[in-house]
Amino acid sequence: MPLLVMKFGGTSVADLARIENAAKKVQAEVERGYDVIVIVSAMSGETNKMVAYVEGTSKLYDAREYDAVVSSGENVTAGLMALRLQEMGIAARSWQGWQVPINTTSAHSSARFMSIPRENIDAKFAEGFKVAVVAGFQGVSAEGRVTTLGRGGSDTTAVAFAAAFAAERCDIYTDVDGVYTTDPRITNKARKLDKIAFEEMLELASLGAKVLQTRSVELAMRYKVRLRVLSSFEDTDENSGTLVCDEDEIMESKVVSGVAYSRDEAKVTLVRVEDRPGIAAAIFGPLAEAGVNVDMIVQNISEVEAGSVKGATTDMTFSCPVNQIARAQKAMEDAVASGTISYDGIVVDSDVAKISVVGIGMRSHAGVAATMFKALSKENVNIKVIATSEIKISVLIDRKYMELAVQALHDAFELEKA
């Protein structure tokens, strides 16, 4: 039988009524002739409750016991979903991570997949079962301990199962009806996309779009798993939602597919750093070790040293999430204390936002940057930092202009038009 993977997030299984609603969507696919693997998250709010229980019990908790507790929410949902499907006359059973087994590394709360053997679930399908309901977000280590996969772990679980079982498609049911050209809350001109390429979705996810978790898109792109994003709360058919697929499936792409933003960014500048081979490694090595997620990087020769070779210095600017500023400053102070680097000062601007335009069509079209910069100039939005890749242009601007910039760029690239 053809096989489909369906994933339901926390809001989609928030209570018994929503679990029943999700079960009806599974039933519809079974009636279309599919065997189905259902991946479920914990009911909305349950994981946060479990985390609070752990932290309220032990401040310096054992990571293995933390995973044992926080993974329990998915087990409850999986059992309830299987029961509901059985009540509907569908042969279904639930699976916890260790029962499959979902083999992972031993990095508790941030485990990675090692393998997902098919034999146990395939045997149940061969017996006549139609649905396997699998607890997302969890696995089992080589030591036999429960592990969890970190933020977005259920999305990643769904894609991993789709790859392991060569599923026809992986449907991600959530509280939105697809992927939009930008956030509909910012502009009512935002348009739902019928299709989007893996690379575009990966860029949008990494730049702040919340529809899919970055790691799940990376996995889908690597194994060519066709993803479909759908709403749990609307009637759907085979043409609903947004299909995330290989570029070859998209006949003709617009130059720009979407505008993404990240509100909570910071710009950090190290003033007059010694300009020598290895200085970038000396700066960004300690930042990486401190867990600072550096994004945009710009290096400029300091004005006072321009034209000088001896004793030349450089200003090094980078962006990072605003909640990592203290960590970044501490890493740089430690690097100075150890004699690894020296600088005259560190300047932090914690009131910036990152705006990005993304599109695979940018590979073959010139003038995207010019259009972007002209649109921002017309709105008197000053650009602080620019970074580019093959299918993306990102800028840092003052946070107060973020929504204005998104609207201006959406209009400039006419993204409301199909």
Side-chain angles (χ1 to χ4, degrees):
M1 299 293 287
L3 189 136
L4 194 67
V5 173
M6 304 173 71
K7 181 265 178 178
F8 294 94
T11 55
S12 302
V13 291
D15 53 36
L16 293 181
R18 290 190 176 182
I19 288 174
E20 181 175 5
N21 178 64
K24 289 178 180 177
K25 294 185 181 297
V26 177
Q27 181 184 38
E29 299 298 348
V30 171
E31 291 173 350
R32 289 190 182 106
Y34 286 102
D35 286 340
V36 182
I37 296 176
V38 179
I39 309 296
V40 292
S41 298
M43 299 165 79
S44 184
E46 286 302 303
T47 300
N48 289 340
K49 186 190 297 183
M50 296 300 121
V51 170
Y53 285 157
V54 171
E55 293 177 346
T57 302
S58 172
K59 294 299 182 186
L60 299 173
Y61 52 77
D62 182 336
R64 295 164 297 186
E65 302 303 341
Y66 172 92
D67 277 1
V69 174
V70 301
S71 64
S72 62
E74 282 72 16
N75 297 339
V76 172
T77 311
L80 291 172
M81 176 68 80
L83 286 170
R84 172 46 54 193
L85 289 166
Q86 289 170 10
E87 286 295 309
M88 296 163 68
I90 297 170
R93 66 154 284 186
S94 66
W95 298 79
Q96 296 180 18
W98 64 271
Q99 294 173 308
V100 175
I102 303 171
N103 297 311
T104 72
T105 61
S106 300
H108 288 275
S109 78
S110 59
R112 297 271 172 173
F113 292 107
M114 299 293 287
S115 66
I116 302 177
R118 296 181 50 157
E119 291 79 8
N120 289 340
I121 288 179
D122 277 345
K124 288 300 177 184
F125 282 141
E127 291 176 15
F129 280 80
K130 301 302 297 179
V131 180
V133 185
V134 180
F137 178 62
Q138 63 177 250
V140 61
S141 68
E143 296 79 24
R145 297 299 302 250
V146 173
T147 57
T148 61
L149 306 171
R151 182 181 174 274
S154 292
D155 278 1
T156 311
T157 303
V159 174
F161 268 83
F165 284 79
E168 185 175 302
R169 196 177 63 246
C170 177
D171 288 349
I172 306 291
Y173 284 86
T174 182
D175 51 5
V176 296
D177 62 348
V179 180
Y180 280 74
T181 49
T182 196
D183 189 339
R185 294 171 298 182
I186 289 183
T187 173
N188 58 14
K189 294 181 181 180
R191 177 177 57 86
K192 184 174 72 66
L193 299 167
D194 293 327
K195 291 183 179 181
I196 187 170
F198 288 125
E199 289 178 83
E200 292 172 319
M201 191 66 244
L202 185 58
E203 290 285 8
L204 291 172
S206 66
L207 292 166
K210 308 297 185 189
V211 179
L212 288 173
Q213 201 269 343
T214 305
R215 194 167 145 203
S216 67
V217 182
E218 288 175 345
L219 200 62
M221 185 165 66
R222 185 185 313 162
Y223 292 102
K224 304 295 184 185
V225 172
R226 299 167 82 242
L227 293 174
R228 193 168 61 146
V229 180
L230 304 128
S231 170
S232 294
F233 310 117
E234 296 180 3
D235 292 334
T236 57
D237 58 32
E238 294 179 351
N239 298 313
S240 299
T242 299
L243 182 67
V244 186
C245 57
D246 195 79
E247 183 178 340
D248 294 342
E249 288 194 52
I250 302 175
M251 292 294 292
E252 187 71 26
S253 295
K254 289 179 72 72
V255 177
V256 170
S257 294
V259 180
Y261 65 89
S262 178
R263 186 187 306 272
D264 299 319
E265 296 288 319
K267 179 170 75 77
V268 181
T269 301
L270 303 181
V271 180
R272 296 188 65 184
V273 180
E274 182 184 1
D275 190 11
R276 58 173 173 79
I279 189 61
I283 292 171
F284 295 106
L287 288 170
E289 292 172 5
V292 177
N293 296 318
V294 172
D295 182 20
M296 308 166 77
I297 301 172
V298 176
Q299 181 177 357
N300 291 312
I301 298 176
S302 293
E303 184 178 351
V304 294
E305 299 291 348
S308 171
V309 176
K310 184 178 180 180
T313 61
T314 183
D315 290 347
M316 189 74 79
T317 298
F318 61 89
S319 68
C320 68
V322 71
N323 62 2
Q324 296 181 5
I325 292 173
R327 202 183 304 171
Q329 289 177 305
K330 178 68 164 54
M332 293 298 90
E333 290 167 2
D334 290 347
V336 170
S338 67
T340 306
I341 62 170
S342 64
Y343 51 80
D344 284 2
I346 183 167
V347 179
V348 176
D349 184 352
S350 58
D351 197 26
V352 297
K354 178 171 63 180
I355 309 293
S356 305
V357 295
V358 175
I360 54 176
M362 291 167 60
R363 291 183 181 137
S364 54
H365 289 78
V368 177
T371 301
M372 182 179 189
F373 301 153
K374 183 178 179 180
L376 295 176
S377 175
K378 282 181 63 177
E379 301 295 341
N380 292 316
V381 177
N382 185 46
I383 298 171
K384 296 174 178 284
V385 178
I386 303 169
T388 65
S389 73
E390 191 178 25
I391 66 167
K392 174 192 72 176
I393 302 173
S394 297
V395 297
L396 283 186
I397 63 172
D398 286 330
R399 190 175 299 149
K400 63 183 178 181
Y401 296 120
M402 186 194 77
E403 294 192 9
L404 175 64
V406 170
Q407 292 164 355
L409 293 174
H410 199 276
D411 289 345
F413 290 103
E414 299 183 326
L415 298 185
E416 72 278 6
K417 298 179 181 179

